[in-house]
Amino acid sequence: MEILHVSAECYPVAKAGGLGDVVGALPKYQNQLGHIAKVVMPMYRTKFLYEHEFELVHKGSFGMGAYWFNYSIIKEKTNLLGFDLYLVDINGLLDREAVYGYGDDTERFTAFQIAVVDWVAKWNHHPDVVHVHDHHAGLVPFMMQHCFAYRHLSAIPTVLTIHNAQYQGWMDWDKSTYLPAWDSWAWGKLDWQNRINPLACAVKCVKKVTTVSQSYLEEMRHAANGLENLFEFERGKCTGILNGIDAAVWDPAIDTYIEPNFSKKDAAKGKLANKKFLCDLYNLDIEKPLFIFIGRLVHEKAADLLPQAIYDAVYHIEGKMNFLVLGSGDPSVEWQLENMKSQLVGYYNSKIGYNEKLSHQMYAGADFLLMPSRVEPCGLNQMYAMRYGTIPIVRNTGGLRDTVIDYGDPDGYGIRFNEASVGDITYSIYRALQVYNQPKLLKKMISTVMELDFSWETSAGKYIKLYVGLK
Ligand code: ADP
């Protein structure tokens, strides 16, 4: 089966969050199952681009409203990632340093999608499935079905995976002229509450929708940033498939970012050495348990609660722990987290920004990972943490609920709480300290989490089964 994944991110080419991790891994595991999975994404100006060789495979051009763009499709030459990687180069529009965050992101991702469809329309065969990820690729199925120039692609089955329904790519109707000439009777497929909504449009157009955990799918019918009714209406085509983690990349036994490497049998020693590295670097006390947070500092992740929760924990639980935070996002949260450094010297430190290497070192050296997310479609951090023997403390939501069982429940190995509130977070930190002070229990929990199997093989197979059912 030939599958074309269309995405804005793909690790290690360009990653802003979990979407990148998934699109960097899923196609590799689909190929290992004997299929041909390919990825097409925008050509950003990232390190990966300059460090690898590419060949030109296609050149084309298209109009978008009043603009005319030339595009090129380039392909990574060595199949280094375990799948064919294609990049869409649109000079001046896509070739920026960051993935998102520009005033013309609507134009950038619309142009990217038109170029992808235009390119696929020129293939001398059809892929068996076009699999689009999140709203940045959400207009692709519509264009394949309703744009006159591309209607010969309309029989190709399309699948949408929603990694995060909070972001939908809304655009005003005046931008409808960006799309290549389309059947105006189909306007209702583009529209959601008087705006063009690429995510909603994809849900309406594709044959199957998947979300990255079963719990998130259920939650979306009640909380999907305005799309609740749509998910309720379309629930027959929706399935939850839990993300895996790329066990070849996230393995403490071979991870080149950490020193020393370790596995389950020498976890205590290995984790302690990694913790020492972090504590020395960030002026923390190795004798105390180390709690970490890694992620986007946004409302969705409840990052706004962190400063108060950390203060409260340090003051009310008598400074019996250390905190280290890595992330970037909301400037006011960034500012508070920076500011706290001088007030909680020796108990807390933070690194504002994106740092892949440090994230691995933190998963390896920490005792506990905090994830108080208000919304968490799947969440990868908790799975990485567990692979590295770090106990997750998570809110009872979405994929966190599907992957972490509280140690108070049968077969439990983590800590779960219900409310995204300072009180619930600090109480969970208190519970974590009780675990930390029972070395036997802690050891057992570390050994259990390191054994859990979150590998991609199972999930990759579920996607294949889903595609087969489309035929
Ligand atoms: P989301 O996609 O919502 O941001 P996920 O838990 O699915 O959350 O995935 C987050 C991914 O991004 C993980 O690989 C995590 O390690 C990584 N990550 C997030 N923020 C940072 C950061 N500041 N530095 C390094 N890695 C980060």
Side-chain angles (χ1 to χ4, degrees), residues 190-205:
L190 290 170
D191 187 78
W192 190 257
Q193 293 170 342
N194 302 323
R195 296 185 84 191
I196 295 178
N197 185 317
L199 189 72
C201 175
V203 173
K204 294 178 207 174
C205 292

Side-chain angles (χ1 to χ4, degrees), residues 424-435:
D424 267 25
I425 299 173
T426 43
Y427 180 64
S428 302
I429 292 170
Y430 174 73
R431 288 187 69 210
L433 281 172
Q434 290 181 325
V435 170

Side-chain angles (χ1 to χ4, degrees), residues 72-117:
S72 313
I73 307 284
I74 57 173
K75 177 173 177 277
E76 197 273 324
K77 273 186 171 174
T78 60
N79 202 305
L80 168 94
L81 304 179
F83 51 82
D84 286 341
L85 170 74
Y86 296 91
L87 305 182
V88 179
D89 178 15
I90 303 180
N91 211 313
L93 197 67
L94 296 178
D95 54 347
R96 315 253 175 97
E97 278 171 20
V99 177
Y100 316 113
Y102 299 98
D104 58 354
D105 277 356
T106 298
E107 286 72 15
R108 295 173 71 228
F109 290 108
T110 308
F112 159 64
Q113 295 176 80
I114 300 173
V116 169
V117 178

Side-chain angles (χ1 to χ4, degrees), residues 179-216:
L179 298 175
W182 50 280
D183 241 353
S184 54
W185 71 263
W187 73 272
K189 295 214 171 147
L190 290 170
D191 187 78
W192 190 257
Q193 293 170 342
N194 302 323
R195 296 185 84 191
I196 295 178
N197 185 317
L199 189 72
C201 175
V203 173
K204 294 178 207 174
C205 292
V206 295
K207 282 214 164 162
K208 286 278 179 197
V209 176
T210 71
T211 60
V212 288
S213 70
Q214 188 59 35
S215 288
Y216 184 56

